[in-house]
Amino acid sequence: MKVTIKEIAQMAGVSPSTVSRVLSESSRISAETAERVREIMRKMHYRPNQLARSLVSRKHTIVAVMLPSAAQTSLSDPFFYDVLRGISVDAAREGYHVLLSTGGHTSDEDESLIDMVHSGIVGGVILLTSKVQDETMESLLDSRFPFVVLGHPVRDDQIHWVDNDNVAAGRVVTEYLRARGCTRIALAGFDPHYRMTVDRCAGYREALAAAGQTVPPEFELHVPYGFTRVDPVRLNAAFDRPDHPDAVVCINDLLALEVMRDLAALGLRVPQDVSVIGFNNIQAAQYSTPPLTTVEIDAEHLGRAAFSLLLHALNDPEAEAARELVPFRIVERESVR
Amino acid sequence: MKVTIKEIAQMAGVSPSTVSRVLSESSRISAETAERVREIMRKMHYRPNQLARSLVSRKHTIVAVMLPSAAQTSLSDPFFYDVLRGISVDAAREGYHVLLSTGGHTSDEDESLIDMVHSGIVGGVILLTSKVQDETMESLLDSRFPFVVLGHPVRDDQIHWVDNDNVAAGRVVTEYLRARGCTRIALAGFDPHYRMTVDRCAGYREALAAAGQTVPPEFELHVPYGFTRVDPVRLNAAFDRPDHPDAVVCINDLLALEVMRDLAALGLRVPQDVSVIGFNNIQAAQYSTPPLTTVEIDAEHLGRAAFSLLLHALNDPEAEAARELVPFRIVERESVR
DNA sequence: AAAAATGAGGGAAACGTTTGCGCAAAGCAT
DNA sequence: ATGCTTTGCGCAAACGTTTCCCTCATTTTT
């Protein structure tokens, strides 16, 4: 039913090898033969079978993207969709396909990853989840399987990775707030389990330290483990008093929106009484009241960068581990005074 | 490097066929042999090569999901991400992988689809884009390639498809508004190019007709072709007058948020002066002021339903075209009085 | 006791490519 | 002319499976 290379060969009066070489534009085929074969391929709507191709050539045309498991609430984060788009647009341009991997049926998502890798179906993988066990990364490293992680991994010198410069971002937003006259700047959303929050928080502290300020402990509103919101009693403790913070850096927009809501409930006005700034520039940020000032991290760019690194790794498996920090920018709206 | 079936066979002192049969749990293998082979497979971390497998068995383990091309603004709609999640979670459970297809390098995305299909890499496809040419669907139909479309296709009797019952949804929200005392109900967002808007609009009209109401033409606020927003002059014309509508059904949440913003600019209060209702329940809907009452269409469910239909098509290619309408529900927030 | 059936497994041909090697013919320098 | 390199292409062996068709013991039936 489906037309194969052999049939094309036969119709063109050449051998399958010749057809194959036409396909790969080998210089060892004369122009006339090539054109004749191509003509027939066109006429017959011939499409090479990728399975057979990859099987023998050991070149893969598919890369996998490992999404965070559904267990993590962040999954519904549109952020990932943008990243995905960035990846797949560039992948398509380079003739690659993108396979989604959600962690899968076995609750052990690392298992599913290893499975993918060894089933020979994909040539490389992009990890969008920082939750991958370090040993899993080690094993990927050992098997010399090309992969890049989006986010700052532990062994950051051995691994290809891309990320925003979250430390810088944390610093910049803090300076931004200070430049606008905020002097009592709190931070919401630190969670030691996520490097991203750790980094942004580090930037925040850096900026304050550079300004000679020390942060009272009650100004750091952590997210209790397993939660996605700031601890409400701490929040109240910090804000339900005359000397409350006059600004709060929120580790992500969702948190920022929640915080704004909580502040409103306490009778505090944003931005007059307290300025709020977030990260990620999610869609909802532009529809809140007031619209949220936030850091645009360009998820699509992150995706493209990740794919680009993977492409390098694919083409040169021996290459040094590379990294790329993609730029961010503050998008100014109305939640900062 | 990678361990193959032959090596397993050799180590177990059996033939490759036997190992293969163990893999497929054939009854023709004795329990002891099977266990011995399995033991070795485990020890060697053996994973069957999917490429080779599919090549010979003609069974595919990958299905493609065709996303709308980046050209369409709707791409950034988180809706698709939820659909994707629905698909991939169920796919994973059934041992399938999900391949993303964004339309790809050639600007002609149908071409890219056909390419996928013929390259033998995937066994079926889910079309998330209603923009696929009808002839493309015809050609898929002709080649008996399993596919399901998400959204109501033209040839709805020949094709597997899933959708919300948008007509019903349009009707129900309209009745909902009437039940809350709205009598002058407008509609925003009709666009003849999208079946979805056509259907929701039809439901709206149905409901009003059933109530014996006729809709003044200026109550239907269309989206000019190529735009994603309601025509602002029409909107002003409709609302900047004493007898303005007291409710507006917006074909999707984004539109609803824009409309709320525009109404605010006109000095109209939501919901006191005009009630607003949307569709899709996007994340931003819960953070707007006021939080948007909207129709939850359960994108994830849509995705799961789509995959389920595809699975059937995969298992029984001769089956009748099936459809599935997934339920919706109104999530009540504060934009309706 | 012979014939038939059953059980357990092996051999080898596929699946559709790519690619290393080989080989003829033609072109080039000596 | 003779040898040596290109040029242009074919042969056949991979790639790692599955599966059809055998074989050879054992057991069951007659």
Side-chain angles (χ1 to χ4, degrees):
Chain A
M1 34 175 166
K2 221 155 249 178
V3 36
T4 77
I5 207 174
K6 291 187 188 171
E7 316 184 58
I8 300 293
Q10 193 171 349
M11 299 182 68
V14 298
S15 78
S17 350
T18 302
V19 178
S20 171
R21 283 191 254 260
V22 169
L23 241 26
S24 57
E25 296 179 350
S26 159
S27 61
R28 306 188 63 80
I29 301 297
S30 72
E32 311 93 78
T33 309
E35 194 37 55
R36 184 157 44 90
V37 171
R38 257 191 280 268
E39 183 56 34
I40 299 191
M41 294 198 297
R42 232 169 286 138
K43 202 163 296 171
M44 301 296 294
H45 296 110
Y46 170 70
R47 292 290 195 304
N49 182 314
Q50 270 306 334
L51 295 174
R53 270 195 156 181
S54 306
L55 181 58
V56 51
S57 71
R58 291 163 178 300
K59 296 206 164 115
H60 299 261
T61 176
I62 307 186
V63 300
V65 174
M66 183 86 180
L67 295 173
S69 77
Q72 294 177 246
T73 59
S74 50
L75 181 63
S76 56
D77 199 326
F79 166 74
F80 291 110
Y81 191 76
D82 291 333
V83 172
L84 223 42
R85 199 165 71 226
I87 295 174
S88 63
V89 165
D90 271 21
R93 178 177 309 135
E94 299 289 339
Y96 282 83
H97 289 120
V98 175
L99 195 73
L100 239 49
S101 173
T102 37
H105 35 319
T106 99
S107 64
D108 184 353
E109 68 180 45
D110 288 6
E111 183 56 31
S112 138
L113 171 62
I114 296 299
D115 208 80
M116 290 243 27
V117 163
H118 286 87
S119 71
I121 216 172
V122 305
V125 29
I126 296 175
L127 302 174
L128 296 197
T129 163
S130 48
K131 284 299 193 183
V132 177
Q133 301 293 326
D134 288 332
E135 43 175 304
T136 304
M137 290 203 197
E138 295 291 341
S139 103
L140 283 175
L141 231 33
D142 285 351
S143 61
R144 322 188 119 268
F145 191 83
F147 74 102
V148 0
V149 353
L150 194 146
H152 196 145
V154 181
R155 311 231 352 217
D156 59 6
D157 54 332
Q158 313 266 357
I159 290 177
H160 298 271
W161 59 278
V162 314
D163 202 354
N164 295 102
D165 190 343
N166 282 312
V167 179
R171 182 167 7 90
V172 166
V173 302
T174 310
E175 287 163 356
Y176 174 86
L177 290 171
R178 282 183 44 82
R180 268 160 194 71
C182 301
T183 55
R184 309 173 48 72
I185 305 176
L187 176 92
F190 174 82
D191 179 341
H193 303 87
Y194 292 94
R195 173 83 195 215
M196 183 198 72
T197 76
V198 173
D199 284 351
R200 288 176 182 171
C201 177
Y204 157 82
R205 291 188 186 130
E206 250 179 42
L208 290 187
Q213 279 194 256
T214 55
V215 195
E218 71 271 21
F219 272 35
E220 291 205 354
L221 307 165
H222 294 192
V223 168
Y225 183 67
F227 283 74
T228 173
R229 307 187 45 164
V230 166
D231 185 349
V233 323
R234 293 196 55 139
L235 187 119
N236 279 337
F239 281 95
D240 201 9
R241 50 195 283 181
D243 59 339
H244 63 73
D246 60 0
V248 43
V249 173
C250 299
I251 233 66
N252 66 53
D253 286 349
L254 235 35
L255 216 60
L257 295 175
E258 303 273 11
V259 165
M260 287 211 294
R261 193 176 268 182
D262 292 340
L263 291 178
L266 286 171
L268 294 170
R269 294 162 308 162
V270 175
Q272 295 86 341
D273 300 327
V274 16
S275 294
V276 175
I277 195 164
F279 285 88
N280 294 6
N281 191 22
I282 66 176
Q283 190 179 40
Q286 54 186 307
Y287 294 104
S288 62
T289 311
L292 184 66
T293 294
T294 183
V295 174
E296 159 81 57
I297 53 158
D298 206 344
E300 200 168 334
H301 190 161
L302 275 171
R304 289 206 308 275
F307 179 76
S308 151
L309 251 51
L310 185 59
L311 199 56
H312 280 123
L314 252 23
N315 292 332
D316 179 8
E318 306 303 326
E320 289 284 296
R323 71 183 62 177
E324 185 167 340
L325 262 19
V326 340
F328 58 87
R329 69 187 175 84
I330 294 181
V331 351
E332 302 188 286
R333 287 199 273 251
E334 296 160 33
S335 64
V336 172
R337 74 161 175 228
Chain B
M1 36 173 167
K2 218 155 252 178
V3 36
T4 76
I5 206 173
K6 290 187 190 170
E7 316 184 60
I8 300 293
Q10 193 173 351
M11 299 183 69
V14 298
S15 78
S17 348
T18 302
V19 178
S20 172
R21 283 191 257 260
V22 169
L23 241 26
S24 56
E25 297 180 348
S26 157
S27 62
R28 306 182 59 81
I29 301 297
S30 72
E32 311 92 79
T33 308
E35 194 36 56
R36 183 157 43 89
V37 170
R38 258 190 279 269
E39 184 56 33
I40 298 190
M41 296 197 296
R42 230 170 287 139
K43 201 164 297 172
M44 300 297 293
H45 296 110
Y46 169 71
R47 293 290 196 301
N49 182 314
Q50 270 307 333
L51 295 173
R53 269 195 156 181
S54 307
L55 182 58
V56 50
S57 71
R58 292 163 177 301
K59 294 202 165 119
H60 299 260
T61 176
I62 307 184
V63 300
V65 174
M66 183 85 180
L67 294 173
S69 77
Q72 294 176 246
T73 59
S74 51
L75 181 62
S76 57
D77 198 326
F79 166 73
F80 291 110
Y81 191 77
D82 291 332
V83 172
L84 224 42
R85 199 166 70 226
I87 295 173
S88 64
V89 165
D90 272 19
R93 178 176 310 135
E94 299 288 338
Y96 282 83
H97 289 119
V98 175
L99 195 73
L100 239 49
S101 173
T102 38
H105 36 320
T106 99
S107 63
D108 184 352
E109 68 180 45
D110 288 6
E111 183 56 29
S112 137
L113 171 63
I114 295 299
D115 209 78
M116 292 243 25
V117 164
H118 285 86
S119 71
I121 216 171
V122 304
V125 28
I126 296 175
L127 303 173
L128 296 197
T129 163
S130 49
K131 284 300 193 181
V132 177
Q133 301 294 327
D134 288 331
E135 45 175 304
T136 304
M137 290 203 196
E138 295 290 341
S139 103
L140 283 176
L141 232 32
D142 285 351
S143 62
R144 320 188 122 270
F145 191 83
F147 74 102
V148 358
V149 354
L150 194 148
H152 196 145
V154 180
R155 309 232 353 218
D156 59 6
D157 53 335
Q158 313 267 354
I159 290 177
H160 296 273
W161 59 278
V162 313
D163 203 354
N164 296 103
D165 190 342
N166 282 312
V167 179
R171 184 167 7 90
V172 167
V173 302
T174 310
E175 287 163 356
Y176 175 86
L177 290 172
R178 282 184 44 84
R180 266 155 197 74
C182 301
T183 55
R184 309 174 47 73
I185 305 176
L187 176 92
F190 175 82
D191 179 342
H193 302 87
Y194 292 94
R195 172 84 193 217
M196 184 198 71
T197 76
V198 173
D199 284 352
R200 287 174 183 172
C201 178
Y204 157 83
R205 290 188 186 130
E206 249 178 43
L208 291 188
Q213 276 193 260
T214 55
V215 195
E218 71 271 20
F219 272 34
E220 292 204 354
L221 306 165
H222 294 193
V223 168
Y225 183 65
F227 283 74
T228 173
R229 306 187 45 165
V230 166
D231 185 349
V233 321
R234 293 196 56 140
L235 187 120
N236 279 338
F239 281 95
D240 201 8
R241 50 195 283 182
D243 59 341
H244 62 73
D246 60 0
V248 42
V249 173
C250 300
I251 234 66
N252 65 54
D253 286 350
L254 236 36
L255 215 60
L257 295 175
E258 303 274 10
V259 165
M260 288 210 292
R261 192 176 268 181
D262 292 340
L263 291 178
L266 286 171
L268 294 170
R269 295 161 306 163
V270 175
Q272 295 86 342
D273 300 326
V274 14
S275 294
V276 175
I277 194 164
F279 285 89
N280 294 5
N281 192 23
I282 66 175
Q283 189 180 41
Q286 56 186 307
Y287 294 105
S288 61
T289 312
L292 184 67
T293 293
T294 183
V295 174
E296 159 80 57
I297 52 158
D298 206 344
E300 199 167 336
H301 189 161
L302 275 170
R304 289 206 307 274
F307 179 77
S308 150
L309 252 51
L310 185 58
L311 199 57
H312 281 123
L314 251 25
N315 291 333
D316 178 8
E318 308 302 328
E320 289 284 298
R323 71 183 63 180
E324 185 168 339
L325 261 19
V326 339
F328 57 88
R329 69 187 176 84
I330 295 181
V331 352
E332 301 189 286
R333 286 199 274 252
E334 297 159 32
S335 66
V336 172
R337 75 163 175 225

